[in-house]
Amino acid sequence: MSETDVSTAPRPLLLADGRPAAEAWSLHPGERHLNHGSFGAVPVVAQREQQRLREEMDRSPVLWFATLPGKVAAARTAVAGFLRVAPEDLALVPNASGGASVVYANVPLRPGAEILVTDHGYGAVTMGAERLARRRGATVRTAHVPLDADEEQACAALVAELSEATGLIVLDHITSATARRMPVERIAEVARERGIPLLVDGAHVPGLLADPMAGLDCDFWIANLHKFGCAPRGTAALVARGPLREELYPLIDSWGAADPFPDRFDTQGTVDATSYLAASAATDFIETTWGWERARTYMSELADYAERVIGDAFAEVMGESAAVDVGMPVGAMRLVRLPAGLGTTRLEADALRDRVARELAVEAAFTSFGGVGYFRLSTHVYNTAADFEYFAERCVPQLAEWARTPGVAP
């Protein structure tokens, strides 16, 4: 690696006492965690708060569950403040897919209608749309959006697939497999003009965008707090605006069923809701330690550096550029093309992820789009340039070897 490469690396973030940021997390010291975008990592302070809440729950379960709806409502208000939305528009759900399932279970859809998705959509959410279509006698139409499409081109590709039959649009805010934004604000305007409900999957958005719904007038928006927001796993938001929100009910019928939206989501019986209650401990930790704006800037600069270093390493072993032209790039997420033959399908990409974790002690994301495999990197405040330099020096040559050796690649 050249001196020029090293000189462009952002300086690592430190805790207030000068320790490395990673010491605020409990990640395995013998592993490199380069896949925050998939499963996140929870700061120790939030882990401890969740454990404290669990102990409180188990010491006095009768009192705990009798007062739990009020606790959830308070947590919901805190999450709404972080996302800059009105508390009365937000319900807490276990994950973004769960929020999509709520919409699919309640949104009106006539027989013969079409559900518009894109070929960048998250697989589980798209499968939910397909199941909804089967239940209602509808069909799913898939819009192809080129990976390098800019905002104008992506918008045109989506609008071209709309018709009188379109009864629901499902669109990613930030895509999972391809690490790009979609023109959700512009599609929302079109959808509103045509009276078509729009579900925006913002699973990766909290923590990456300061004001996620600024200028976004959609019917439903779902997002995970346990990715870049670092909340305990099982914490997500469902934001609903407009007339259809009163049609939304939790997937579990409980004693809050007669309450208005979103209060009815606060009562879900005997469930462990401590992930909701500890969410603000995580988001507040980032804010008080560095500030979210500084954290986002660092993550973006580190992603720029990591993309260059790893892209150069792959280009050297591949004999050609590994750079990827992503039309609407995202701050903390990037794509680098893999050697031919690696990770060309979702199943192959997942197998590659698992093998790299087992054999190379690196937690990394591999994705595919259009029959091409990619390394999808994502950064957070606890990552440093050294993490990605390690991947370039140790993992890239091994991945190239797997690609060259028949029958060895996952």
Side-chain angles (χ1 to χ4, degrees), residues 74-88:
R76 170 163 54 83
T77 299
V79 169
F82 175 67
L83 295 175
R84 303 186 188 181
V85 301
E88 61 269 23

Side-chain angles (χ1 to χ4, degrees), residues 64-73 76 91-93 249-260 262-271 273 276:
W64 173 269
F65 286 104
T67 59
L68 183 57
K71 292 181 172 69
V72 173
R76 170 163 54 83
L92 292 174
V93 290
Y249 284 81
L251 298 178
I252 300 172
D253 289 321
S254 193
W255 291 102
D259 295 338
D263 300 31
R264 62 178 69 119
F265 285 77
D266 296 343
T267 303
Q268 289 287 275
T270 312
V271 298
Y276 297 169

Side-chain angles (χ1 to χ4, degrees), residues 114-118 141-143 158 161-162 166 168-170:
E114 292 183 349
I115 304 171
L116 180 63
V117 302
T118 78
R141 177 183 288 271
T142 302
L158 283 153
E161 299 296 335
L162 296 176
T166 308
L168 176 66
I169 303 170
V170 182

Side-chain angles (χ1 to χ4, degrees), residues 257-342:
D259 295 338
F261 179 93
D263 300 31
R264 62 178 69 119
F265 285 77
D266 296 343
T267 303
Q268 289 287 275
T270 312
V271 298
D272 184 349
T274 56
S275 61
Y276 297 169
L277 308 188
S280 61
T283 56
D284 289 350
F285 168 72
I286 303 293
E287 179 59 38
T288 58
T289 306
W290 301 286
W292 274 101
E293 280 306 310
R294 183 183 176 195
R296 278 188 282 269
T297 298
Y298 175 76
M299 290 188 279
S300 182
E301 291 176 352
L302 181 58
D304 288 341
Y305 177 77
E307 181 184 19
R308 289 195 301 272
V309 169
I310 294 172
D312 288 348
F314 272 121
E316 184 175 344
V317 299
M318 292 162 57
E320 59 183 1
S321 173
V324 183
D325 185 4
V326 175
M328 298 175 68
V330 177
M333 299 170 68
R334 298 286 190 278
L335 291 184
V336 179
R337 187 165 59 86
L338 293 173
L342 282 186

Side-chain angles (χ1 to χ4, degrees), residues 48-68 71 269-274 277:
R48 289 174 177 167
E49 175 62 7
Q50 184 177 23
Q51 184 57 35
R52 183 192 70 79
L53 291 164
R54 283 175 170 155
E55 291 170 358
E56 181 182 340
M57 172 177 64
D58 290 329
R59 277 197 306 269
S60 184
V62 172
L63 182 60
W64 173 269
F65 286 104
T67 59
L68 183 57
K71 292 181 172 69
T270 312
V271 298
D272 184 349
T274 56
L277 308 188

